[in-house]
Each structure stands twice: as C-alpha cells, then as structure tokens.
Amino acid sequence: MDLTDTIELPTNPADTVPVAAGLSIFDPVFLGIDEFGQAVYLPMIYRNILIGGEPGAGKSSLLNTIVGHAALCPDVRLCLLDGKQVELGLWEDACDVFVGPDLAHAIRTLRRVQTVMDNRYTFLRARRRRKIGPNDVFGQILVACDEIAYFSATAGDKKDQELFAALLRDIVARGRAVGIIVAAATQRPSSDIIPTSLRDLFAWRFAGRCTTDVSSDIVLGHGWAARGFSSNTIDPNNQGAGYLIAEGGIPALVKAAYMTDADIIRVADYAAWTRRQSGLITPAERNATTDMKAAA
C-alpha cells in the first residue's frame, strides 16, 4: 500500500462499531489514588460499599465512578435510586430501573430485588451451590442509592421509611452471594440514618470529610477517630479525599477519581448504546416501574 493512497471510511454509521470496554464486575473497580500516588482498585463482587460525608465531600463523584464501571460491564444490571434525580440521573438510559424522589417506587423496587434474591437462593440450593460465579446463569445487579436519608428519614411516613430501611438492610445482608451489590451514599452520617446494624454489613466503607469525629466514626466504625483516623481532619477544599476501610482492615487515606458531567455523559451514552445492542435494556423495560428484567 502506497503512503499516498487514501483510505475510504464507511459512510454508514451502522457499519462502524466502537471498541468495547471489555470490563466485568469481577474486575476490581478503579477508585482513585492513595496518599503515595498509587492506584487504588476496589473489588466489588461479593461486597457492598457505604459512602458518607458532608455535602460537597465528593460522595456522589465516587458513586458515579462505581456506577460507571458497572455500566460498562455486560454482566451487570443497574438499579439506581436517587432522591435528587441529578446525581445518578445521567445514567438513566443505561439502567434497568431509575427511581427518583418517590418512596413508594423505591419500596416496590427493593421488594422486586428481594424477590430476585430469594429466587436465586432457591436455584442455588437446588443445584447444591453456595454462590454464583463468573459467566454464570445469572448476571449481577448493582443497587446504587444516592442519599439514603431521603428514603429512610425524609420522604413519606415513618412506617414506609422503616420498611425501606429494612428492605435495604436485608439486601445488603443477603445479596452478596447471589451477585447483588449495594453502593449507598449519604450526606447525613448520623446514627439514626446509618445504625450500627446496617453499617457493619458493608464490607467497604468510605468516609469523606465529616464535620465531627463522631460522624466519621459512624461511617468507619467506633473508635477510629481516637486512633488518629478521622475524616474531620481532611481539608474542606480537598474534595474526593477520604478514609477507606475494609472488613477487619485499617483506614487508608485515598483520593477518589473524579468524572466531570461531560465524562459521565460520554460513558453513559456509550454504555447505553452497548446495552441496547446486546439486548440488555429496552425503553419498555426502563420505563416500567415494577419490572426488573434481572434474571430472577
């Protein structure tokens, strides 16, 4: 081929196919960097993550990073709950269910996820298995909730708020082995929003800047502030920085990756395109309020 030759590109966009991401939820999620500048990767499969911190601490940015990874994984279905609508709303076209400021819809959705969870355990018991694995009969489900407090303490009456909290706690407690992952964020890390019985179920916990040592301990666990690990010491201008702790581990200071709105839109549009092409989502599924085609 002569270097002066020209290459004729396809004129029909349908003939071109973008390069696939090739990700899986069994791959660790890139979270950001630690205080030494080393990359931090978070294995999310069979685990859940709780994200807390004051407004502007970078909670939603971290949650968007996790959702972005999951959206590019063909083995994950997305179930998104966002009381403000705009934090996770950019991913709406790529998810199976999007719940806005509607507590009744949130409760119906979590009940559906709970039914999926129970059905999967029935299947595993019949097959004499303990958990699902890669390339299994079922795909995984990511339940991402931005601002737990809206659904558990603000919207609706006390009875519905307690029902939402109980459903969420059950899914966090029992969903891991059947591929149901929960990533939840709150800007009100207080004991009435995050009781110990719920906090301790999260394998990963991230505390962005908090206004008090007590709030930091509510996310990380009791006593860490007294041992020198308090997110109250983080500079308010250092958004996205926080302490990350795993089950049985020691808090590590990390700086979460940041995606601009333009970044999120590009990734979300690509994820929605790939999911439509593969049949993972359809407009009819996305608009259904009670149907989650999640391989129940």
Side-chain angles (χ1 to χ4, degrees):
M1 177 179 177
D2 191 279
L3 293 179
T4 60
D5 292 343
T6 59
I7 300 175
E8 185 176 349
L9 297 175
T11 58
N12 183 359
D15 294 336
T16 63
V17 179
V19 176
L23 291 176
S24 168
I25 197 62
F26 286 85
D27 298 326
V29 178
F30 174 70
L31 188 72
I33 58 174
D34 62 18
E35 56 186 318
F36 305 105
Q38 300 300 306
V40 176
Y41 289 89
L42 205 64
M44 288 298 299
I45 190 64
Y46 309 128
R47 293 172 175 86
N48 305 291
I49 184 169
L50 174 66
I51 305 167
E54 68 179 19
K59 303 176 305 299
S60 297
S61 177
L62 175 56
L63 190 59
N64 272 292
T65 299
I66 295 171
V67 172
H69 178 99
L72 294 174
C73 300
D75 54 357
V76 182
R77 314 300 289 256
L78 299 178
C79 173
L80 309 180
L81 295 81
D82 182 4
K84 291 192 294 185
Q85 303 185 71
V86 296
E87 298 297 349
L88 298 178
L90 295 177
W91 303 101
E92 184 173 2
D93 289 342
C95 70
D96 289 70
V97 176
F98 181 81
V99 179
D102 185 339
L103 180 57
H105 187 190
I107 290 173
R108 291 197 304 270
T109 300
L110 292 189
R111 275 180 166 157
R112 177 57 178 155
V113 174
Q114 189 182 54
T115 299
V116 171
M117 177 176 65
D118 290 337
N119 290 345
R120 291 185 175 192
Y121 273 117
T122 300
F123 172 86
L124 289 180
R125 187 182 66 180
R127 296 298 187 275
R128 304 185 71 180
R129 296 172 52 192
R130 297 174 60 188
K131 64 181 181 180
I132 66 173
N135 305 314
D136 214 317
V137 178
F138 306 121
Q140 284 58 243
I141 301 172
L142 173 68
V143 179
C145 179
D146 196 339
E147 195 43 65
I148 299 173
Y150 176 82
F151 298 104
S152 66
T154 303
D157 56 29
K158 186 173 180 60
K159 180 180 178 181
D160 287 341
Q161 293 168 0
E162 291 178 348
L163 176 58
F164 173 87
L167 289 168
L168 182 63
R169 184 182 297 109
D170 183 38
I171 293 168
V172 173
R174 296 195 295 132
R176 298 192 300 174
V178 290
I180 299 177
I181 303 162
V182 176
T186 181
Q187 63 182 9
R188 289 172 57 187
S190 56
S191 57
D192 59 323
I193 303 301
I194 312 174
T196 303
S197 61
L198 176 60
R199 179 199 65 200
D200 291 345
L201 294 173
F202 286 90
W204 296 106
R205 299 189 292 274
F206 178 88
R209 174 174 166 78
C210 294
T211 54
T212 66
D213 290 343
V214 173
S215 294
S216 178
D217 271 359
I218 288 173
V219 180
L220 296 177
H222 179 70
W224 283 114
R227 297 169 63 181
F229 299 97
S230 173
S231 61
N232 183 41
T233 62
I234 295 173
D235 188 334
N237 296 317
N238 191 9
Q239 295 178 327
Y243 282 103
L244 176 70
I245 187 172
E247 292 174 315
I250 296 176
L253 187 62
V254 301
K255 174 80 169 181
Y258 173 71
M259 297 175 66
T260 66
D261 287 352
D263 293 332
I264 295 174
I265 290 171
R266 284 197 297 268
V267 175
D269 286 350
Y270 175 72
W273 184 90
T274 57
R275 286 169 174 262
R276 284 194 299 269
Q277 296 300 311
S278 62
L280 279 175
I281 58 170
T282 67
E285 283 179 353
R286 197 171 57 248
N287 293 331
T289 59
T290 58
D291 177 49
M292 274 191 64
K293 187 182 177 184

